[in-house]
Amino acid sequence: MDPDVIAPATTEWERPRYSIGEVADRVGMSRDTLRWYERIGLMNYIGRDHTGNRRFSDRDLEWLALIGRLRLTGMPVADMIRYAELVRGGPATFPARLDMFRQTRAEVLEKIAELHQTVAVLDYKIATYEGRTDVAKPATLTAYTEGIV
């Protein structure tokens, strides 16, 4: 079974139960964002109650948690939509999904390395303003003054 498939409700986990407001609060996204995700195909099927209001399942919440994490990676919405399309394509798309996640992971690790360098610069500047000399000047600062970058 495909771990990411979004299918009609067959289990308690898939039963529509949460209003759009409850979901917005739980996942930290606006109602408009949730509606937009549905409109652009990032969300597959969203159940409706007898009055036509959207009802989200635990499965939907899990999907939105993943989408939220992908947003934090800086993944473009178009790539997230592509991923959703791959999920709908079933298990045959596992290799393409794996490639996407490997590439995204590599990009995140590059960002983490950049952030570590930024923290080193901030630590150096803080130490400088505190009058401390126990923190060495980061290579990322000296690279510019020595013409390396």
Side-chain angles (χ1 to χ4, degrees):
M1 181 173 155
D2 187 337
D4 295 322
V5 165
I6 302 171
T10 58
T11 67
E12 192 63 21
W13 181 59
E14 299 165 323
R15 185 173 65 84
R17 66 179 73 194
Y18 307 106
S19 71
I20 194 168
E22 291 170 319
V23 171
D25 290 343
R26 283 178 183 239
V27 299
M29 297 177 188
S30 72
R31 294 170 189 214
D32 288 338
T33 296
L34 294 170
R35 289 183 194 104
W36 181 62
Y37 281 177
E38 183 182 10
R39 193 169 49 253
I40 65 173
L42 194 51
M43 300 285 302
N44 195 21
Y45 172 79
I46 302 299
R48 304 282 177 149
D49 64 15
H50 67 282
T51 61
N53 292 319
R54 288 172 180 82
R55 302 305 277 180
F56 294 80
S57 67
D58 288 328
R59 172 176 266 182
D60 297 324
L61 291 176
E62 189 172 299
W63 177 259
L64 288 166
L66 172 63
I67 295 306
R69 290 294 168 189
L70 294 178
R71 282 177 39 199
L72 287 174
T73 71
M75 181 184 278
V77 172
D79 289 349
M80 288 187 270
I81 292 170
R82 174 72 180 130
Y83 175 72
E85 290 168 350
L86 289 170
V87 168
R88 287 189 282 274
T93 67
F94 277 8
R97 289 187 248 173
L98 178 59
D99 288 344
M100 284 186 81
F101 281 125
R102 284 184 173 153
Q103 179 62 39
T104 300
R105 184 181 189 279
E107 292 167 3
V108 168
L109 290 173
E110 287 175 18
K111 288 178 188 177
I112 290 170
E114 289 176 17
L115 288 172
H116 280 298
Q117 293 173 1
T118 301
V119 168
V121 169
L122 293 172
D123 287 346
Y124 172 74
K125 295 307 284 181
I126 289 168
T128 299
Y129 288 117
E130 290 176 343
R132 296 179 16 231
T133 57
D134 61 325
V135 177
K137 184 182 276 189
T140 53
L141 285 180
T142 57
Y144 288 105
T145 60
E146 295 173 4
I148 298 171
V149 176

